[in-house]
Amino acid sequence: MSSFDDIVESTSDVATDDEHDPEGHTIAWERQQVAALLDETRTALTDIEAAEQRLDNGLYGTCTTCGLEIPVERLDALPATPACVNCAR
Ligand SMILES: [Zn+2]
């Protein structure tokens, strides 16, 4: 899996040879990868902001679906998760 920086770098390297590099991916493909990364990051950010809000409201660690407490081990692994294991399934 390429990092954002790797993709940006390789994209600028081949910027003048669009679609014709037999070794690499096309710029269109790379752009798609970057867009997917950005989407993922935006989703993660939304989750984190929602978790912050629950923290402010004193509801952090409480499942937003069933209202039960989310186990600490789960919060350690997924600090921004809004749901307990049962409800996340
Ligand atoms: Zn739940």
Side-chain angles (χ1 to χ4, degrees), residues 62-70 82-88:
T62 303
C63 176
T64 56
T65 305
C66 69
L68 292 177
E69 220 170 282
I70 302 172
C84 69
V85 180
N86 279 338
C87 296

Side-chain angles (χ1 to χ4, degrees), residues 1 33 42 52 57-58 60 71 73:
M1 173 97 188
Q33 295 301 107
R42 282 199 195 99
E52 255 183 339
N57 296 334
Y60 181 73
E73 298 77 38

Side-chain angles (χ1 to χ4, degrees), residues 3 8-9 11 15 20 24-25 34 39-40 42 62 66 68 72-73 75 77 82 89:
S3 76
V8 170
E9 203 173 294
T11 303
H20 295 108
H25 298 289
V34 172
D39 266 359
E40 241 172 69
R42 282 199 195 99
T62 303
C66 69
L68 292 177
V72 170
E73 298 77 38
L75 290 173
R89 263 202 284 259

